[in-house]
Amino acid sequence: MATTITYYKLRKIKDRIVSGWVKTMVGLVLLLPVVIAISLLSKSWLILGHSGLSELLFSSVWRPLAGEFGFWPFIISSVWVTFLGLIFTAPICLLSAIYLTQYGSKRLLGMMQPVIDILAGIPSVIYGVWGILLIVPAVGSFLAPLLGIETSGFSILAGGFVLAVMLIPFILNILIEIFRTVPRDLFEASLSLGASKWHTIKHVLLGKTFPGIISAFGLGLSRAFGETIAVLMVVGNVVAIPKTIFDPGYPLPALIANNYGEMLSIPMFDSALMFAALLLMAIVILFNIFSRWAIIHFEKKQ
Amino acid sequence: MEKSKISIRDLNLYFEKQHILKNVNIEIPENQVTVILGPSGCGKTTLMKTLNRLVDLHDNARFSGSILFEGIDILHPATDLVHIRQKMGLLSQRPTPLPMSIFGNVAYGLKLKGIRHKKNLAPLVEKYLREANLWEEVKDRLNDPAIRLSIGQQQRLCLARGLAVNPEIILADEPTSALDPISARIIENQFVELKKDYTIVLVTHVLRQARRIADYVVFMYLGDVVEQGPAEAFFNNPTQEKTKEYLGGAFN
């Protein structure tokens, strides 16, 4: 009798421990971004008090020694590189995903899967080296002269190219998964009405998966914005607002990676870099909110 | 005998090595409900998809024989598939609303026929929704996503969409199998209504449904046409042993 009661109690205690444990872990995950944000905010408090938010964001004067920190050139560089990367990668991913899922044989798709995985697994520093070896000279001594422009090749454009290549496996994978969820019946319904294959793809496949496509590119955007090493290696790292895509730029992640741990004797430099990190995080969160909003908006419309 | 709308002659179909349809010969009578009966896996659906050449989507399908429709051989490689498919509305087992509004679904078929302006589309959309007996239920929410309709309504929407390309034949592949009995009855009654203007080919394995609406019955078993004939003769005086067994409930 006594043993059954103890057994019962023991089970209850065990149950409580496990559920407490599970909740703690979830709480930890939820807490993580908050903790990061708070620590970044507290570190960048100093510079915010010194210069004010609007000057930090929109001034293009970057003279740390004189205590002037304008982040505008970095923000613009980041935005340029990211959008170039996305623009280059979008048609490649979309069209190859359509081909692989709608036109190509099952065997081809099966063969592509490991290729995509390999591309995804290549460390970003290798993409950077490849960019220096191939993309930078291609831009500097082939593309630019063709248009009559002079550049070293280390440029926003090179950064965009390298970024585009890095985004391919990531976005392509998601798109293939999304396209495969569309039921065959739906295609047959459209074809049986006399629609052509392309008409069906345009209206049924892309219509059905539009929210998914938005979210794939939204995720790609966040990833691209934060990509550091490969971009840093080919983008030139010159603090100036790029006038054309052949000019060098200096994206936010590159600023942090290049300078953190150095020149920290300069007053407030440390705080300025923390502010850059905070900014990066805020922008990525904004992207996420936007793509989530877009998904909900378009799902409602269907 | 009535005029036949489609003549299937010596049709054989293989998926790789598998012989799915074996020497099928059927005359489908015009303006009647032809029911293709048989247990699952007997080739009913494949036969249906051969009629509008959706079997082409299978890489490994090979066929021989001919299907004559208005003097055209549907199986001929040079046949214009768009033309053939627009002559045949297809209704599948589960409703397949396209990812657009209720209006958009019906207009999709109309647009494929080259009708573009909303001004021209609206009265036609109404006409076909009425023909499918759906108009009264959706007239106030034509711009809602089609996916929000009930399953039965979705199936009638698909019927309206199919009618919108102005077909002469309606191919229905177990169109009521996913529906509740009341929605199923609405569809059945609609078929009886529609046979004045259309030739209807209905695949089903529900015997009672076949008894209710069939004018002409084709009984298939493992790719063979076992027996075919006018519904009355078929149900009352079947000639083949297999048919008698099936009608007696042996396969269900």
Side-chain angles (χ1 to χ4, degrees):
Chain A
M1 195 64 195
T3 46
T4 27
I5 290 170
T6 0
Y7 177 66
Y8 181 69
K9 265 189 184 162
L10 205 70
R11 269 210 318 196
K12 251 191 147 175
I13 292 169
K14 237 187 193 171
D15 212 33
R16 228 177 258 166
I17 290 174
V18 169
S19 78
W21 183 239
V22 173
K23 276 181 203 159
T24 317
M25 290 298 121
V26 173
L28 251 170
V29 175
L30 288 176
L31 215 62
L32 218 54
V34 178
V35 171
I36 294 173
I38 288 175
S39 52
L40 287 180
L41 190 64
S42 73
K43 281 277 197 175
S44 44
W45 204 250
L46 190 66
I47 191 132
L48 276 165
H50 175 263
S51 302
L53 187 62
S54 71
E55 198 198 318
L56 283 174
L57 287 181
F58 300 116
S59 159
S60 49
V61 184
W62 179 259
R63 278 187 304 190
L65 283 169
E68 290 181 80
F69 299 96
F71 282 94
W72 190 239
F74 303 100
I75 295 171
I76 287 294
S77 295
S78 270
V79 169
W80 267 109
V81 172
T82 303
F83 278 94
L84 273 184
L86 212 60
I87 286 167
F88 293 146
T89 212
I92 299 175
C93 291
L94 211 52
L95 293 177
S96 28
I98 288 174
Y99 182 82
L100 287 171
T101 56
Q102 309 304 319
Y103 292 89
S105 64
K106 284 213 175 75
R107 244 185 85 212
L108 180 68
L109 185 59
M111 270 158 47
M112 278 303 285
Q113 215 72 58
V115 175
I116 294 171
D117 290 344
I118 289 167
L119 279 177
I122 294 176
S124 103
V125 69
I126 293 178
Y127 281 106
V129 171
W130 173 76
I132 292 176
L133 290 177
L134 194 79
I135 302 290
V136 170
V139 169
S141 30
F142 178 69
L143 203 57
L146 215 62
L147 300 165
I149 298 165
E150 242 177 77
T151 167
S152 65
F154 288 93
S155 58
I156 297 281
L157 184 64
F161 274 139
V162 171
L163 202 51
V165 174
M166 294 181 70
L167 285 174
I168 288 173
F170 182 70
I171 295 178
L172 186 57
N173 229 345
I174 306 177
L175 288 180
I176 288 175
E177 284 308 311
I178 295 170
F179 287 169
R180 284 165 79 173
T181 61
V182 178
R184 198 193 177 97
D185 285 0
L186 225 49
F187 286 96
E188 294 191 349
S190 172
L191 291 174
S192 76
L193 292 167
S196 66
K197 191 164 185 172
W198 174 241
H199 190 92
T200 302
I201 287 169
K202 209 168 81 182
H203 291 89
V204 178
L205 179 73
L206 297 184
K208 185 84 183 164
T209 55
F210 195 68
I213 294 171
I214 295 270
S215 96
F217 284 111
L219 286 173
L221 201 65
S222 303
R223 214 184 144 94
F225 207 81
E227 174 49 43
T228 312
I229 294 298
V231 174
L232 172 159
M233 289 166 80
V234 299
V235 84
N237 303 327
V238 173
V239 187
I241 294 177
K243 289 188 192 67
T244 72
I245 53 176
F246 291 97
D247 288 339
Y250 207 157
L252 278 169
L255 170 72
I256 302 167
N258 274 340
N259 295 303
Y260 196 77
E262 290 171 32
M263 303 199 288
L264 293 186
S265 53
I266 303 170
M268 280 190 299
F269 197 73
D270 175 39
S271 182
L273 290 181
M274 286 304 143
F275 177 75
L278 185 67
L279 200 58
L280 196 61
M281 189 172 166
I283 292 172
V284 169
I285 289 172
L286 270 179
F287 282 156
N288 272 313
I289 291 172
F290 173 75
S291 61
R292 199 143 284 278
W293 171 83
I295 293 167
I296 293 167
H297 178 76
F298 287 113
E299 263 174 0
K300 259 195 211 143
K301 269 180 124 184
Q302 276 192 355
Chain B
M1 191 177 160
E2 295 90 352
K3 198 176 153 211
S4 73
K5 186 78 181 171
I6 301 178
S7 309
I8 304 173
R9 302 210 177 131
D10 302 325
L11 174 64
N12 280 287
L13 188 135
Y14 301 81
F15 285 145
E16 295 188 342
K17 291 250 160 65
Q18 229 182 325
H19 200 172
I20 306 284
L21 297 175
K22 301 168 187 165
N23 221 23
V24 171
N25 283 282
I26 303 173
E27 299 286 326
I28 294 171
E30 188 166 20
N31 291 79
Q32 295 198 4
V33 177
T34 298
V35 168
I36 302 175
L37 261 181
S40 317
C42 68
K44 301 181 303 254
T45 300
T46 308
L47 177 63
M48 193 72 111
K49 287 187 174 165
T50 312
L51 290 179
N52 65 2
R53 288 275 298 275
L54 277 180
V55 281
D56 287 21
L57 297 183
H58 294 269
D59 297 334
N60 307 317
R62 287 179 298 121
F63 40 73
S64 64
S66 60
I67 300 177
L68 294 175
F69 166 68
E70 291 184 336
I72 310 168
D73 181 6
I74 292 175
L75 297 184
H76 196 276
T79 299
D80 177 9
L81 290 187
V82 170
H83 173 76
I84 289 296
R85 285 174 181 164
Q86 292 196 331
K87 294 276 184 180
M88 303 183 191
L90 175 75
L91 214 52
S92 53
Q93 299 185 9
R94 310 203 119 264
T96 50
L98 298 175
M100 42 193 91
S101 65
I102 296 170
F103 186 94
N105 261 274
V106 185
Y108 187 82
L110 293 167
K111 284 177 185 162
L112 287 169
K113 280 264 167 187
I115 303 162
R116 295 251 164 247
H117 289 292
K118 181 131 190 173
K119 179 172 81 190
N120 302 330
L121 285 170
L124 286 170
V125 168
E126 177 178 343
K127 177 183 164 209
Y128 290 113
L129 283 171
R130 279 187 194 283
E131 272 194 42
N133 196 11
L134 186 61
W135 173 254
E136 290 302 325
E137 291 158 61
V138 300
K139 63 181 177 188
D140 300 320
R141 47 176 181 144
L142 290 173
N143 290 319
D144 276 13
I147 205 97
R148 277 199 219 146
L149 295 172
S150 75
I151 301 284
Q153 289 171 327
Q154 286 182 19
Q155 193 61 304
R156 276 179 281 151
L157 178 67
C158 293
L159 179 60
R161 187 182 63 200
L163 296 177
V165 292
N166 208 8
E168 293 169 20
I169 299 161
I170 297 172
L171 306 175
D173 183 6
E174 297 184 25
T176 59
S177 63
L179 306 188
D180 61 277
I182 294 170
S183 305
R185 275 305 179 90
I186 295 176
I187 297 260
E188 279 179 23
N189 294 340
Q190 216 50 38
F191 282 155
V192 175
E193 192 71 25
L194 288 167
K195 75 179 178 188
K196 290 198 294 272
D197 304 312
Y198 303 89
T199 299
I200 296 169
V201 184
L202 172 72
V203 161
T204 185
H205 60 234
V206 184
L207 255 178
R208 279 185 302 175
Q209 184 173 55
R211 282 184 200 274
R212 279 195 294 267
I213 61 174
D215 299 309
Y216 190 84
V217 185
V218 178
F219 173 53
M220 293 182 70
Y221 185 70
L222 297 177
D224 283 308
V225 174
V226 177
E227 183 167 356
Q228 58 179 315
E232 246 196 64
F234 179 87
F235 288 117
N236 298 328
N237 302 304
T239 58
Q240 302 292 318
E241 274 312 305
K242 269 269 176 303
T243 318
K244 286 176 194 163
E245 279 176 45
Y246 182 73
L247 293 176
F251 302 98
N252 299 329

